[in-house]
Amino acid sequence: MEDCLFCKIIKGEIPSKKVYEDEEVLAFHDINPEAPIHILVIPKKHITSLAHITKEDEALIGKIFGVINKISEEQGFKEDGYRVITNCGKNGGQSIKHLHFHILAGKMLGEKIL
Ligand code: 5GP
Ligand code: ZN
């Protein structure tokens, strides 16, 4: 999608520090990490947010969680644990309008609200 920052990262028009890539999914380090490890996992298909997922996207979303599991193994934080967050829409505080899952790891995470 034109004018979408994450679509530009997918196309390589904006550089990123990639940690995983296949034909459907890309993962890269967040530019402004909130934890020692802060990785963003995104579908290559432009989906605006969790609220925009359709029935046909469900396999892709399931796959993304498999990718997260794989990344946690490869990056060595599976055993210690981590947190996955997706911000959705205005009240969720979503700033980039391309569905993404934050993986936060590498320390005991604070500000637990749930
Ligand atoms: P949101 O607030 O939409 O849930 O998260 C967007 C995330 O994208 C933020 O954590 C922000 O630091 C990250 N981000 C914004 N611009 C860039 C960029 O150009 N490159 C990378 N790697 N991350 C970005
Ligand atoms: Zn996009």
Side-chain angles (χ1 to χ4, degrees):
M1 193 196 183
E2 301 253 322
D3 283 342
C4 169
L5 184 79
F6 286 174
C7 283
K8 288 180 180 165
I9 285 177
I10 290 161
K11 285 185 269 181
E13 293 171 9
I14 293 173
S16 67
K17 286 167 62 186
K18 292 178 190 177
V19 295
Y20 175 89
E21 182 168 23
D22 66 29
E23 61 287 346
E24 292 179 307
V25 180
L26 178 66
F28 52 97
H29 289 283
D30 196 291
I31 205 166
N32 183 25
E34 301 279 350
I37 299 167
H38 186 170
I39 294 167
L40 300 172
V41 187
I42 66 174
K44 288 191 172 176
K45 174 184 177 185
H46 181 89
I47 301 171
T48 302
S49 78
L50 190 65
H52 297 78
I53 288 169
T54 64
K55 194 85 188 150
E56 69 171 27
D57 299 323
E58 288 178 2
L60 174 60
I61 302 308
K63 176 179 175 174
I64 285 174
F65 279 87
V67 167
I68 290 170
N69 200 7
K70 185 179 168 69
I71 290 169
S72 75
E73 277 173 19
E74 288 178 357
Q75 302 282 320
F77 58 82
K78 180 172 182 161
E79 199 182 332
D80 283 345
Y82 55 94
R83 189 174 293 165
V84 175
I85 295 170
T86 188
N87 297 318
C88 180
K90 179 169 62 74
N91 284 1
Q94 182 182 5
S95 61
I96 308 286
K97 306 292 187 289
H98 182 128
L99 176 64
H100 52 282
F101 296 88
H102 298 258
I103 308 174
L104 299 163
K107 71 169 186 181
M108 193 75 125
L109 298 161
E111 297 175 39
K112 193 166 179 292
I113 59 168
L114 286 176

